[in-house]
């Protein structure tokens, strides 16, 4: 069952839940406070594995990057090094088209198999104006 929470202000997170995962979209500061921007944080949701990182896209103003799996140096991919010019729109495209395959790449095959990619695409498309306003 999917669940979605819309927000009223820039600081309120947008939350999408589906298939044992939770996607939280919020504006946040990075470690050390020297960078900030929109973050798409995808974690496990459920009684057995609550809150384990699956994916995180930090669409920061200075150093946009993303993590596949747990946050460590090997999981960090710098968007500028990959030629990404608009980190938020690029992230939305990845999530709309490749979300289940990226969840599988992060090591969560069972969750990936249960994800309804079309529903994720529809939800993100509907929420896109609100997401872009948070950036």
């Amino acid at each position: 069952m999917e669940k979605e929470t819309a927000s009223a202000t820039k600081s309120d997170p947008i939350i999408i839940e589906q298939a044992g995962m939770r996607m939280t979209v919020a504006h946040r500061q990075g470690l050390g406070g020297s960078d900030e921007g929109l973050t798409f944080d995808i974690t496990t949701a459920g009684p057995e594995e609550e809150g384990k990182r699956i994916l995180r896209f930090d669409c920061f103003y200075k150093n946009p990057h993303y993590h596949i799996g747990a946050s460590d140096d090997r999981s960090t991919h710098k968007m500028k090094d990959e030629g990404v010019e608009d980190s938020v729109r690029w992230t939305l495209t990845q999530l709309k088209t490749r979300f289940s395959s990226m969840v599988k790449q992060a090591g969560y095959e069972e969750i990936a198999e249960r994800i309804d990619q079309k529903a994720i695409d529809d939800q993100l498309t509907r929420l896109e104006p609100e997401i872009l306003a948070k950036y």
Side-chain angles (χ1 to χ4, degrees):
M1 176 149 207
E2 34 182 270
K3 181 174 140 187
E4 176 182 318
T5 305
S7 66
T9 69
K10 186 173 181 174
S11 62
D12 293 334
I14 296 171
I15 298 171
I16 298 172
E17 292 182 331
Q18 185 193 113
M21 69 86 199
R22 177 178 297 117
M23 181 186 307
T24 304
V25 183
H27 190 96
R28 75 175 190 91
Q29 283 199 329
L31 295 175
S34 64
D35 204 356
E36 65 180 296
L38 201 60
T39 292
F40 295 75
D41 194 15
I42 296 96
T43 59
T44 56
E48 296 119 29
E49 291 189 303
E50 182 77 24
K52 289 188 179 180
R53 168 121 336 98
I54 299 172
L55 303 165
R56 189 175 78 213
F57 296 83
D58 292 317
C59 301
F60 291 164
Y61 301 129
K62 297 176 189 172
N63 183 26
H65 60 279
Y66 62 99
H67 306 268
I68 297 175
S71 296
D72 62 23
D73 290 340
R74 294 183 314 267
S75 74
T76 303
H77 302 267
K78 295 183 180 192
M79 292 184 200
K80 288 181 181 177
D81 291 350
E82 295 181 7
V84 175
E85 293 183 23
D86 185 333
S87 61
V88 175
R89 290 185 195 282
W90 179 85
T91 296
L92 284 167
T93 298
Q94 300 310 301
L95 295 173
K96 289 177 183 181
T97 61
R98 300 184 53 234
F99 184 56
S100 58
S101 65
M102 292 183 87
V103 169
K104 186 175 183 177
Q105 182 181 350
Y108 292 89
E109 287 187 33
E110 186 178 308
I111 292 173
E113 290 174 8
R114 296 187 343 234
I115 288 173
D116 181 342
Q117 184 68 58
K118 175 78 170 108
I120 293 291
D121 180 15
D122 291 346
Q123 287 175 301
L124 289 172
T125 297
R126 188 173 64 256
L127 291 167
E128 190 165 343
E130 185 177 349
I131 290 169
L132 293 173
K134 288 182 172 298
Y135 187 61

